[in-house]
């Protein structure tokens, strides 16, 4: 049995061990409460009054009602936590974040929507976050929730390896696949078939002048026929894409944003518009093909002074429809906006924004969504709680 002095030393060590762990750890709660008042001058899709999404603009506005709609929404409000701790000789970081903007089966609803849920240790990231094919820095300073249509924007479950980090970054990942299939005029009911994960990679260069990123993707885009013998007829095609993006710092606080993306069967990764695969040929023997897509974004952000800023720009997504797609199939979506934002401090933002959206269908019919949005956002952060 040890002496009294040795027991005191052991007790002090056991007491200090948790404190040492806490000193190497951090935990932060952050988020914001935000309300958007949207005054739409046209008649948008009832589930998409709160955000401008060109692919959801009806080309026959009378089918959804008369012009003019108003909505106040808190769906942009956000809550998240960041945590970090030492795991062996390296830092382990984790993030969990959600907002309240319902999509998919929850379109138009105020409900929890997962944004990020991942951990990163050394060069390995696992979980849901921004796709490696995406460049989050080209999302302009707009207050509309959805944002420009012609940029790659997808938060995707993935396993990512980043062997090079710093001013130059190289990242490679496998990501969850998703094949958006348009049945077109094919009388059979087809569904997406995802046999293999998507492969994504990017190279990024950062400097005082801004940054440049080139990203690529390879994926299998497939379909099968539920209820058919062994899922047939079925088929798959190679999808691919290249995404070039840059931000250029100008004057003291201004920024130019540019991006172009092109590929076959990559609509699933776009912020808005199109399908990955659609039938070509004829009704007797439809031949499903990956659909070519081109996206563009160009925005300029200007700081009038320390409190007032603006962003103005244009974006578009256009696909090359197959011969056997329906007349109302999405062909092109256009998005433009300009705003004036007031940030009296780092916790408060107020802004007004004018937005213009246009959808062109396969048969040439067009629909429009013109609106004004006024938003107020109050941000908070707990700082390190440990």
């Amino acid at each position: 049995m040890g002496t009294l002095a040795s027991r005191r030393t052991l007790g002090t060590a056991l007491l200090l061990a948790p404190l040492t762990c806490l000193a190497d750890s951090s935990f932060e709660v952050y988020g914001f409460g935000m309300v958007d008042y949207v005054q739409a001058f046209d008649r948008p899709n009832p589930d998409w009054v709160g955000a401008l999404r060109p692919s959801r603009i009806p080309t026959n506005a009378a089918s959804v009602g008369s012009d003019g709609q108003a909505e106040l929404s808190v769906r942009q409000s956000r809550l998240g936590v960041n945590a970090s701790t030492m795991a062996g000789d390296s830092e382990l970081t984790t993030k969990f974040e959600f907002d309240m903007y319902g999509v998919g089966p929850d379109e138009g609803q105020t409900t929890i929507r997962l944004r990020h849920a991942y951990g990163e240790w050394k060069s390995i990231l696992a979980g849901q976050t921004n796709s490696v094919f995406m460049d989050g820095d080209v999302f302009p300073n707009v207050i509309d929730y959805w944002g420009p249509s012609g940029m790659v924007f997808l938060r995707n479950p993935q396993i990512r390896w980043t062997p090079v980090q710093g001013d130059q970054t190289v990242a490679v990942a496998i990501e969850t696949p998703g094949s958006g299939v348009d049945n077109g005029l094919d009388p059979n009911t087809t569904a997406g078939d995802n046999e293999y994960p998507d492969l994504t990679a990017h190279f990024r260069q950062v400097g005082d002048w801004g940054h440049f990123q080139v990203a690529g993707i390879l994926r299998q885009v497939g379909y099968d026929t539920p209820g058919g013998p062994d899922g047939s007829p079925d088929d798959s095609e190679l999808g691919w894409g290249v995404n070039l993006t840059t931000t250029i710092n100008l004057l003291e606080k201004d920024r130019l944003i540019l991006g172009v993306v092109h590929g076959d069967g990559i609509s699933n990764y776009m912020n808005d518009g199109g399908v990955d695969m659609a039938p070509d040929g004829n009704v007797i023997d439809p031949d499903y093909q990956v659909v070519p897509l081109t996206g563009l974004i160009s925005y300029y952000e200007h700081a009038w002074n320390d409190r007032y800023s603006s962003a103005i720009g244009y974006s578009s997504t256009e696909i090359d429809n197959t011969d056997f797609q329906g007349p109302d199939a999405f062909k092109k979506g256009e998005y433009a906006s300009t705003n004036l934002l007031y940030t009296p401090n780092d916790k408060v933002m107020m802004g007004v924004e004018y937005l213009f959206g246009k959808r062109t269908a396969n048969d040439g019919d067009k629909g429009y969504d013109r609106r004004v949005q006024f938003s107020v956002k109050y941000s908070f952060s707990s700082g390190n709680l440990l």
Side-chain angles (χ1 to χ4, degrees):
M1 190 170 182
T3 65
L4 177 61
S6 65
R7 291 199 299 272
R8 283 176 177 171
T9 302
L10 176 61
T12 301
L14 292 174
L15 178 63
L16 290 177
L19 295 178
T20 302
C21 292
L22 288 177
D24 291 334
S25 303
S26 66
F27 185 82
E28 174 195 24
V29 179
Y30 65 91
F32 54 79
M34 185 170 179
V35 65
D36 302 321
Y37 162 43
V38 173
Q39 185 63 58
F41 304 123
D42 301 288
R43 184 60 183 261
N45 182 315
D47 292 332
W48 289 94
V49 180
L52 177 55
R53 192 172 178 186
S55 69
R56 299 301 194 268
I57 298 174
T59 53
N60 180 11
S63 65
V64 292
S66 57
D67 288 346
Q69 288 291 289
E71 180 174 286
L72 277 81
S73 167
V74 298
R75 284 177 280 172
Q76 286 209 62
S77 299
R78 187 181 304 175
L79 182 65
V81 294
N82 287 321
S84 68
T85 189
M86 292 302 296
D89 60 352
S90 300
E91 183 181 32
L92 169 65
T93 61
T94 54
K95 177 189 284 284
F96 181 83
E97 180 184 292
F98 64 88
D99 60 27
M100 307 301 294
Y101 214 102
V103 297
D106 295 323
E107 284 187 359
Q109 304 300 310
T110 302
T111 186
I112 291 176
R113 181 194 189 200
L114 181 66
R115 292 170 56 88
H116 300 278
Y118 69 88
E120 187 172 14
W121 183 69
K122 293 190 175 181
S123 60
I124 302 298
L125 179 149
Q128 175 172 305
T129 190
N130 295 348
S131 167
V132 170
F133 189 47
M134 163 185 165
D135 183 354
D137 285 337
V138 300
F139 199 109
N141 195 19
V142 298
I143 55 177
D144 170 51
Y145 177 79
W146 208 258
S149 58
M151 59 184 179
V152 174
F153 192 90
L154 179 67
R155 290 181 287 267
N156 213 17
Q158 62 192 267
I159 300 174
R160 178 190 301 184
W161 177 45
T162 309
V164 179
Q165 300 185 53
D167 290 344
Q168 293 183 335
T169 301
V170 175
V172 181
I174 55 171
E175 306 192 22
T176 191
S179 298
V181 180
D182 181 3
N183 294 323
L185 303 177
D186 184 357
N188 296 311
T189 300
T190 58
D193 186 24
N194 306 300
E195 296 185 3
Y196 304 105
D198 297 342
L199 176 64
T200 56
H202 74 225
F203 169 79
R204 182 181 181 91
Q205 176 71 57
V206 177
D208 294 337
W209 53 271
H211 88 280
F212 169 77
Q213 180 174 301
V214 54
I217 184 170
L218 289 175
R219 59 195 309 251
Q220 183 191 59
V221 183
Y223 82 97
D224 60 18
T225 306
D230 298 324
S232 62
D234 63 322
D235 199 0
S236 64
E237 298 283 341
L238 177 67
W240 65 273
V242 176
N243 185 25
L244 304 175
T245 53
T246 186
T247 60
I248 302 172
N249 299 325
L250 300 170
L251 303 177
E252 293 185 2
K253 297 181 179 180
D254 289 11
R255 191 170 72 135
L256 176 64
I257 297 170
L258 298 170
V260 57
V261 56
H262 180 76
D264 292 345
I266 59 171
S267 293
N268 184 58
Y269 282 79
M270 297 301 295
N271 196 33
D272 185 51
V275 293
D276 298 307
M277 177 173 264
D280 207 356
N282 56 67
V283 68
I284 298 175
D285 185 23
D287 180 21
Y288 280 75
Q289 301 288 333
V290 286
V291 179
L293 177 148
T294 301
L296 303 170
I297 181 171
S298 177
Y299 262 78
Y300 189 83
E301 297 177 346
H302 174 66
W304 301 101
N305 52 43
D306 290 339
R307 296 186 177 184
Y308 288 93
S309 65
S310 294
I312 184 170
Y314 169 84
S315 183
S316 68
T317 304
E318 185 170 9
I319 71 171
D320 185 7
N321 296 111
T322 63
D323 293 338
F324 210 40
Q325 285 188 268
D328 192 49
F330 177 89
K331 181 174 182 60
K332 185 175 183 179
E334 298 175 81
Y335 180 107
S337 68
T338 185
N339 62 26
L340 179 63
L341 308 181
Y342 172 59
T343 52
N345 53 63
D346 62 354
K347 299 293 189 295
V348 176
M349 186 282 296
M350 302 178 185
V352 61
E353 188 165 80
Y354 174 77
L355 298 118
F356 170 87
K358 178 181 176 182
R359 178 181 184 268
T360 303
N362 190 23
D363 63 0
D365 283 354
K366 297 175 175 59
Y368 298 89
D369 187 344
R370 292 158 286 205
R371 58 176 60 195
V372 171
Q373 177 172 326
F374 176 75
S375 298
V376 179
K377 180 172 76 172
Y378 297 133
S379 304
F380 66 89
S381 173
S382 67
N384 186 7
L385 294 176
L386 298 181

